[in-house]
């Protein structure tokens, strides 16, 4: 028997035989003669087209099973497939260096990876996994039939727990829930796309186990707890009995439509607002369908694609922002200004700086986001003028990221004011009114909200960064990711400090991070005074349902007691004891050897 502990990314308790998915990373490398260059380029073209057809089928499958907000992951992979830095770059390597196609693809991926690893934003770094997924599929499609394994075919005799090293999103999107009842991964985090897909599929999952594929053998019994992150290989009967007792709760899924006809308010009548986090304008329709009352966070850097800030002009930005505002009208759209590092300012990410210029800073604490924009008023002004023009077409709010001081926020606000004046057409034409917000992502901002309030109209707490900078934990580093604890007393006390200080100044506070996707954390945030949330559209209906079932006055008493506890584990247990039905039911279903304990309402 072996017991492992990883990161619980999708709740539920399951046990069953193991099925191992081990990816072959062997790459055939050899130098080709000039006569074979055309042949290798043609192989790359054929592999790209085979990959395209497979991704289109996966997209259709995920669209039918999980909805458009997750299916877009594979639309993004289709776009990556045509990126100049992938297949065209590999073909260029074939021509210039006369490497075989497999080797050239590997080289192109190494170059692309270097770009992503240099990006300071942790969210963007995690997207490297999506590129690796596309590359892996390309490489498999370079293998002649019938040895190719581009499509996942799991003809399992009985429902099993899939044990994998690193599960690419396109493979996760193909999992048959009738055959795969749980997922244990050596790598991964709570916020990568495979984890998001697993939660959407309600597939109990534990990530970052590191050695599960080494210790598990095909067919061995696996016990997986997606609540605690514990995985036991070859458990005894007593452990299964205890798991069975723990798994007595039932999953209840309430139809989306029923949520949306009900007001988003607590049982004691306090209104709670839910907005959507989006990255693409096409997600507006999904946000509306899931009951979003507005866009609480549009990550403007995603409109760049692989381009630099210098390459996106005012008119292009204006049209994009106007499109968002008009499609969401009359509801407000909150647009976060570019949250990128300096490598995206001029030149492709990862490019070396011009000779004689300063070396770009590395790591997440360098020149980034608002600091970077203030250092380049020409580029910053272009975005702010585009935002000011778009604000004439509907309610638009501007959110400045990574604010750490009053001076930064004051300078940004002045720049926005100047941009508004610049787009005014002349005498008598008033600059558009735009609400200004500051993201609370670092402890210095959290502790000075009373000072920032003089310059901000609203605040948005970015819990992903706030947690990692408060706890000094890189959530993308599997070795320490388990220390990333949203319910840590320090995190909760910081959030309370923010809501109290903002409340004294009459400034609304929203939470736009991943934290609110966890039912216990959502209840904790309500108790800390947060009454506005922005999250992935798919999560909004379930969150609205939780809100409707709790009394805010009761929640405040429960959370006040939780703040006196010493650890995240104690706080989680305290919240679970206070709201066992809501948290257990919302966390997911339980499954015994593939037979779902799902007799709740649908």
């Amino acid at each position: 028997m072996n017991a492992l502990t990883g990161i619980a990314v999708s709740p539920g308790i399951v046990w069953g035989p193991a099925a191992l998915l081990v990816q072959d990373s062997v790459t055939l490398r050899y130098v080709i003669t000039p006569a074979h260059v055309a042949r290798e380029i043609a192989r790359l073209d054929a592999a790209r087209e085979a990959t395209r057809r497979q991704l289109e089928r996966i997209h259709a499958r995920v669209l039918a099973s999980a909805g458009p907000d997750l299916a877009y992951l594979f639309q993004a992979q289709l776009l990556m497939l045509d990126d100049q830095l992938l297949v065209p770059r590999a073909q260029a390597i074939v021509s210039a260096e006369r490497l075989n196609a497999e080797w050239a693809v590997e080289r192109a991926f190494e170059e692309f990876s270097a770009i992503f690893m240099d990006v300071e934003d942790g969210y963007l770094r995690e997207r490297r996994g999506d590129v690796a997924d596309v590359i892996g599929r390309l490489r498999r499609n370079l293998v002649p039939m019938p040895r190719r394994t581009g499509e996942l075919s799991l003809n399992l005799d009985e429902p099993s727990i899939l044990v994998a090293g690193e599960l690419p999103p396109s493979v996760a999107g193909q999992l048959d829930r009738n055959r795969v009842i749980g997922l244990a991964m050596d790598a991964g985090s709570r916020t990568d796309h495979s984890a998001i897909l697993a939660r959407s599929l309600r597939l109990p999952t534990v990530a970052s186990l590191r050695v599960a594929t080494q210790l598990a053998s095909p067919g061995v019994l696996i016990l997986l707890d997606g609540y605690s992150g514990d995985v036991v290989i070859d458990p005894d009967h007593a452990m299964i009995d205890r798991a069975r007792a723990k798994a007595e709760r039932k999953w209840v899924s309430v139809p989306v439509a029923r949520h949306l006809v009900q007001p988003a308010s607590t049982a004691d009548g306090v209104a709670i607002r839910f907005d959507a986090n989006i990255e693409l304008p096409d997600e507006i329709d999904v946000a509306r369908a899931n009951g979003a009352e507005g866009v609480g966070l549009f990550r403007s850097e995603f409109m760049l694609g692989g381009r630099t800030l210098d390459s996106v002009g005012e008119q292009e930005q204006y049209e994009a922002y106007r499109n968002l505002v008009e499609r969401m009208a009359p509801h407000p759209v909150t647009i976060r200004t570019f949250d990128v590092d300096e490598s995206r300012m001029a030149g492709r990410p990862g490019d070396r700086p011009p000779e004689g210029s300063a070396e770009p800073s590395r790591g997440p604490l360098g020149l980034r986001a608002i600091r970077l924009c203030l250092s380049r008023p020409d580029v910053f002004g272009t975005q702010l003028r585009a935002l000011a023009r778009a604000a004439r077409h509907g309610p638009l709010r501007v959110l400045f990221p990574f604010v750490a001081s009053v001076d930064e926020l004051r300078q940004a606000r002045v720049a926005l004011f100047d941009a508004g004046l610049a787009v005014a057409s002349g005498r008598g034409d008033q600059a558009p009114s735009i609400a200004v917000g500051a993201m609370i992502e670092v402890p210095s901002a959290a502790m000075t909200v009373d000072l920032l309030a003089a310059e901000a109209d609203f605040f948005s707490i970015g819990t992903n960064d706030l947690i990692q900078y408060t706890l000094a934990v890189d959530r993308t580093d599997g070795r320490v990711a388990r220390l990333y604890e949203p319910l840590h007393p320090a995190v909760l006390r910081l959030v309370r400090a923010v809501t109290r200080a903002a409340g004294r100044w009459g400034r609304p506070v929203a939470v736009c991070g991943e934290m609110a996707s966890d039912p216990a954390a959502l209840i904790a945030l309500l108790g800390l005074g947060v009454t506005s949330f922005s999250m992935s559209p798919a999560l909004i209906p379930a969150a609205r349902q939780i809100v409707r079932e709790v009394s805010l006055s009761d929640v405040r008493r429960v959370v006040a007691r939780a703040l006196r506890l010493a650890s995240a584990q104690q706080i989680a247990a305290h919240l679970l004891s206070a709201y066992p039905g809501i948290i257990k039911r919302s966390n997911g279903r339980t499954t015994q050897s593939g037979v779902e304990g799902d007799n709740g309402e649908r």
Side-chain angles (χ1 to χ4, degrees):
M1 180 176 70
N2 288 287
L4 303 172
T5 300
I7 300 171
V9 301
S10 184
I13 298 175
V14 290
W15 54 94
L20 263 64
L21 180 65
V22 180
Q23 297 190 67
D24 182 7
S25 60
V26 175
T27 299
L28 186 63
R29 301 176 181 176
Y30 57 91
V31 177
I32 61 176
T33 65
H36 289 154
V37 167
R39 180 196 66 189
E40 295 300 292
I41 289 176
R43 289 181 62 217
L44 285 167
D45 281 333
R48 175 165 53 183
E49 292 312 306
T51 301
R52 189 189 315 282
R53 292 192 294 272
Q54 291 165 4
L55 288 174
E56 288 172 347
R57 286 196 292 271
I58 296 169
H59 173 266
R61 179 172 180 166
V62 173
L63 182 65
S65 61
D69 49 333
L70 288 177
Y72 92 89
L73 300 177
F74 301 101
Q75 287 180 314
Q77 288 202 2
L78 285 164
L79 292 175
M80 293 175 192
L81 192 60
D82 291 325
D83 195 292
Q84 291 297 311
L85 295 177
L86 291 183
V87 176
R89 175 57 186 153
Q91 291 175 327
I93 291 173
V94 168
S95 298
E97 303 181 38
R98 293 189 309 196
L99 307 184
N100 66 310
E102 289 87 347
W103 194 358
V105 166
E106 185 180 71
R107 284 277 307 277
F109 180 52
E110 289 172 355
E111 295 176 7
F112 206 101
S113 295
I115 294 171
F116 269 74
M117 296 313 293
D118 280 345
V119 173
E120 295 179 357
D121 187 283
Y123 181 88
L124 289 177
R125 286 205 305 274
E126 289 184 345
R127 302 290 79 81
R128 175 185 175 275
D130 297 316
V131 182
D133 193 6
V134 174
I135 289 293
R137 187 166 293 279
L138 264 173
R139 290 168 59 182
R140 290 191 294 274
N141 285 322
L142 284 167
V143 178
M145 292 288 283
R147 293 189 288 123
R148 167 185 309 173
T149 57
E151 300 280 5
L152 180 66
S153 178
L154 290 175
N155 296 318
L156 303 172
D157 290 335
E158 58 181 320
S160 303
I161 293 176
L162 188 64
V163 182
E166 182 177 7
L167 193 69
S170 68
V171 176
Q174 297 179 69
L175 295 179
D176 182 352
R177 284 290 285 113
N178 295 317
R179 296 285 116 193
V180 177
I181 60 173
L183 179 59
M185 298 187 292
D186 287 344
S189 71
R190 184 174 172 79
T191 53
D192 67 30
H193 280 156
S194 292
I196 293 170
L197 278 166
R199 286 196 292 276
S200 175
L201 295 170
R202 306 197 190 291
L203 182 67
T205 300
V206 176
S208 196
L209 289 163
R210 306 184 68 178
V211 293
T213 55
Q214 298 175 34
L215 299 178
S217 55
V220 68
L221 185 64
I222 300 282
L223 172 60
L224 183 149
D225 187 337
Y227 297 103
S228 65
D230 294 326
V231 170
V232 180
I233 300 171
D234 196 19
D236 58 29
H237 291 299
M239 299 183 78
I240 295 296
D241 289 341
R242 287 195 294 273
R244 183 180 289 107
K246 186 177 179 181
E248 60 186 3
R249 52 207 176 255
K250 301 176 176 63
W251 168 255
V252 177
S253 177
V254 182
V256 170
R258 205 178 79 181
H259 290 284
L260 303 184
V261 298
Q262 301 290 341
S265 61
T266 61
D268 51 350
V270 178
I272 306 296
R273 181 183 181 87
F274 287 99
D275 290 334
N277 293 344
I278 66 171
E279 298 165 0
L280 301 170
D282 287 346
E283 293 178 84
I284 288 276
D285 294 338
V286 179
R288 282 181 170 279
N290 282 282
E293 299 174 68
V295 172
L297 177 64
F298 174 70
R299 300 179 176 95
S300 64
E301 59 272 16
F302 276 83
M303 65 180 287
L304 299 174
R307 298 177 294 173
T308 66
L309 298 185
D310 287 338
S311 65
V312 185
E314 179 181 325
Q315 182 64 22
E316 181 180 351
Q317 292 189 53
Y318 158 69
E319 291 174 359
Y321 304 145
R322 176 180 176 176
N323 179 35
L324 282 170
V325 169
E326 291 182 338
R327 291 177 66 173
M328 200 65 202
H331 306 294
V333 173
T334 303
I335 297 178
R336 184 179 70 184
T337 54
F338 296 129
D339 185 2
V340 296
D341 59 63
E342 60 187 312
S343 64
R344 297 288 295 277
M345 183 58 80
R348 202 180 64 219
D351 279 356
R352 307 294 298 175
E355 188 174 354
S357 64
E359 177 75 14
S361 58
R362 303 299 184 199
L365 304 182
L367 204 54
R368 168 190 163 185
I370 191 64
R371 299 171 182 170
L372 177 62
C373 288
L374 290 173
S375 75
R376 284 293 302 272
D378 53 336
V379 175
F380 195 30
T382 297
Q383 182 176 35
L384 296 180
R385 288 193 301 275
L387 288 167
R389 290 169 63 191
R392 294 182 179 280
H393 301 278
L396 182 152
R397 309 193 309 172
V398 170
L399 183 60
F400 294 118
F402 219 62
V403 170
S405 71
V406 174
D407 284 344
E408 288 174 346
L409 183 57
R410 185 177 293 142
Q411 292 177 55
R413 184 160 193 143
V414 169
L416 180 61
F417 179 78
D418 291 343
L421 292 179
V423 301
S425 59
R427 186 175 183 179
D429 183 22
Q430 299 294 319
S433 175
I434 301 175
V436 172
M439 287 205 69
I440 305 299
E441 302 172 276
V442 295
S444 65
M447 298 308 297
T448 56
V449 163
D450 58 326
L451 304 176
L452 293 171
E455 304 294 337
D457 301 305
F458 65 96
F459 295 104
S460 185
I461 303 176
T463 53
N464 296 351
D465 276 344
L466 183 61
I467 294 169
Q468 75 169 354
Y469 293 130
T470 299
L471 303 182
V473 171
D474 182 349
R475 64 182 189 273
T476 66
D477 186 339
R479 298 167 300 175
V480 297
R482 69 188 72 254
L483 302 176
Y484 181 86
E485 297 175 319
L487 293 179
H488 191 288
V491 174
L492 300 189
R493 291 180 183 213
L494 269 183
V495 173
R496 182 180 62 173
V498 170
T499 59
R500 284 183 172 181
R504 285 194 291 272
W505 280 79
R507 301 292 188 267
V509 176
V511 164
C512 64
E514 179 77 11
M515 181 176 176
S517 66
D518 178 82
L522 175 61
I523 291 173
L525 291 168
L526 288 168
L528 295 170
V530 179
T531 57
S532 179
F533 299 89
S534 189
M535 56 181 63
S536 172
L539 300 175
I540 293 176
R544 288 167 61 103
Q545 174 66 16
I546 292 172
V547 162
R548 289 175 52 227
E549 295 182 27
V550 300
S551 162
L552 191 57
S553 57
D554 290 341
V555 168
R556 285 173 174 162
R557 283 193 291 272
V558 169
V559 174
R561 289 194 291 272
L563 288 173
R564 296 196 290 271
L565 299 174
S567 71
Q569 292 72 28
Q570 289 176 318
I571 292 172
H574 174 69
L575 293 170
L576 182 60
S577 67
Y579 297 99
I582 294 174
I583 293 175
K584 290 176 180 177
R585 182 207 65 216
S586 301
N587 263 335
R589 61 187 168 188
T590 59
T591 307
Q592 176 181 341
S593 295
V595 181
E596 295 181 3
D598 185 358
N599 52 5
E601 59 181 308
R602 288 283 186 189

